[in-house]
Amino acid sequence: MIGFDDYVNNGDCAVVADELDSYLDEKVIPRMEDFNILSWWKTNANRYPTLARIARDILAIPITTVASESVFNTSGRVIGQGLNEDPRFKVLKKEWFEGKDCLDIGCNSGIITIQIAQKFNCRSILGIDIDSNRVADAYWHLRKIVRTEHNEKRRANASRVEVIEKGDGLEKNVTAAQEEKKAISRNCSPAERNLFDIVSFKQENFVHGRDSPEKYYDAILCLSVTKWIHLNWGDDGLITLFMRIWKLLRPGGIFVLEPQPWVSYEKNRRVSETTATNFQNIKLYPKEFQEILLDKIGFRTVEDIGSGGLSSSKTGFNRPIFLFRK
């Protein structure tokens, strides 16, 4: 009850009440077949942060007829333990990221960002997202994966120690086991910190952000993000996105772009009044992005790396993916 008393006394309940009243006063959106409730809450999370968190928890509950033992059996599906790899990794090459400084724009919950660090051994990777809740989710996933890897290594090392101690009984084997235990103890902490040193996340509106004069990148990813920037900030926002990416890339750097098709814009244009207005005023269409990036922004070359490699994907990620070089 102490926590409840603190909550009441510090006035937070009044803030929530004002937020709820504002939400209830919102103009009712007409019924439509293609309305996407998840997209609406993602767009309006900054206006109604508390309600958005409640909606996220409720809407995340799946409606399923799968047997309960299948739902709650996480074997092979726990992050860091056989998690299905994103199909887009089929078209990404290690040489683009290994030992490089990387930026993931619109990182969402951070899964791809973390997997790039694990799979391709980049020197550093920063994931940014406009939604602070998604950034919090990303850090949760990072901690979960680090703990899982750490525990697996500790169990593996402990098994090797046990094998040594169950040897022929010679004193040298016991001594070796003791030395290995000490080595495990010394090495666990640096190993656990390693992924934290490589991966980081930040809440930021990339379109309105400021360039850090001392920070540049060798690889920048923008996967399934352009539509939301385009709908929320129009053509000017899209051009700002592309210009900032070009400025932040080192010479010879790569830009991996997965643009959503125009039909996807049409499905989400009524998420908010802003998106509806911007949709009507858009003059730059996704099919023109290549020409804009090459002729207007200044990228030297472009390669379609996704159309063939993902055509057989069963997860829905079968959009074209382009690799631009500065």
Side-chain angles (χ1 to χ4, degrees):
M1 295 300 293
I2 295 177
F4 176 77
D5 293 337
D6 291 340
Y7 169 76
V8 173
N9 293 332
N10 65 21
D12 284 351
C13 55
V15 175
V16 175
D18 291 342
E19 182 180 321
L20 179 59
D21 290 339
S22 178
Y23 171 74
L24 293 176
D25 289 338
E26 181 93 20
K27 183 179 179 182
V28 177
I29 299 175
R31 184 186 298 274
M32 61 191 75
E33 292 184 2
D34 60 351
F35 179 72
N36 189 323
I37 185 64
L38 295 177
S39 298
W40 190 93
W41 277 112
K42 181 176 181 179
T43 301
N44 292 278
N46 290 333
R47 298 170 60 197
Y48 310 116
T50 303
L51 296 178
R53 287 194 293 270
I54 296 173
R56 180 187 62 178
D57 292 340
I58 294 175
L59 295 174
I61 300 173
I63 300 175
T64 179
T65 57
V66 178
S68 60
E69 59 268 23
S70 298
V71 174
F72 294 102
N73 179 10
T74 59
S75 175
R77 294 185 283 115
V78 177
I79 294 173
Q81 295 180 343
L83 181 72
N84 290 335
E85 185 176 86
D86 191 288
R88 288 171 287 190
F89 275 87
K90 294 179 180 179
V91 300
L92 302 180
K93 296 181 180 179
K94 186 174 184 177
E95 63 197 59
W96 298 339
F97 307 96
E98 187 172 22
K100 307 292 180 61
D101 295 313
C102 308
L103 175 65
D104 184 12
I105 301 171
C107 65
N108 205 289
S109 60
I111 297 298
I112 292 181
T113 314
I114 298 169
Q115 288 183 340
I116 286 175
Q118 291 178 305
K119 185 178 178 66
F120 298 136
N121 300 321
C122 52
R123 178 166 55 191
S124 70
I125 184 165
L126 170 65
I128 64 173
D129 200 281
I130 194 173
D131 189 341
S132 59
N133 292 321
R134 299 287 77 76
V135 173
D137 291 343
Y139 269 117
W140 184 90
H141 286 140
L142 179 60
R143 290 191 296 270
K144 175 69 175 180
I145 291 172
V146 168
R147 284 196 299 267
T148 301
E149 289 186 343
H150 173 58
N151 290 336
E152 288 178 347
K153 291 177 182 178
R154 185 166 57 187
R155 285 194 294 268
N157 288 332
S159 298
R160 288 197 295 270
V161 171
E162 185 177 359
V163 170
I164 294 175
E165 290 183 335
K166 288 182 179 180
D168 56 11
L170 295 178
E171 183 177 351
K172 62 179 181 180
N173 286 336
V174 176
T175 302
Q178 293 172 343
E179 290 299 320
E180 185 163 353
K181 283 182 178 178
K182 293 179 181 178
I184 293 170
S185 177
R186 288 194 302 269
N187 294 330
C188 276
S189 182
E192 185 171 358
R193 288 196 304 267
N194 189 35
L195 197 56
F196 285 127
D197 292 337
I198 297 171
V199 183
S200 60
F201 297 99
K202 181 171 69 171
Q203 188 274 329
E204 178 183 319
N205 182 338
F206 187 79
V207 173
H208 294 158
R210 295 183 178 179
D211 297 333
S212 176
E214 72 280 357
K215 187 61 179 178
Y216 296 94
Y217 301 92
D218 303 293
I220 297 180
L221 299 101
C222 189
L223 306 177
S224 298
V225 176
T226 49
K227 174 183 69 176
W228 297 113
I229 291 177
H230 213 171
L231 285 175
N232 280 284
W233 290 281
D235 289 341
D236 289 342
L238 181 77
I239 295 300
T240 300
L241 167 73
F242 290 159
M243 290 182 65
R244 281 204 70 200
I245 289 171
W246 191 89
K247 289 174 61 178
L248 290 174
L249 273 175
R250 295 188 176 108
I254 66 164
F255 170 39
V256 181
L257 173 66
E258 181 192 31
Q260 294 102 317
W262 182 248
V263 65
S264 177
Y265 285 63
E266 295 175 336
K267 291 179 179 179
N268 292 278
R269 66 187 185 276
R270 295 193 181 97
V271 167
S272 69
E273 292 183 7
T274 299
T275 58
T277 300
N278 285 334
F279 177 82
Q280 296 297 327
N281 296 324
I282 285 176
K283 298 291 187 286
L284 306 176
Y285 296 94
K287 64 182 180 181
E288 302 172 41
F289 289 178
Q290 289 188 57
E291 180 181 352
I292 293 170
L293 286 162
L294 292 172
D295 297 342
K296 306 297 184 183
I297 304 300
F299 283 93
R300 293 187 296 109
T301 62
V302 61
E303 178 185 355
D304 184 348
I305 62 173
S307 296
L310 295 177
S311 59
S312 61
S313 173
K314 298 180 180 180
T315 58
F317 289 106
N318 56 359
R319 307 180 189 122
I321 300 178
F322 302 100
L323 175 74
F324 294 86
R325 293 188 182 274
K326 182 174 179 179

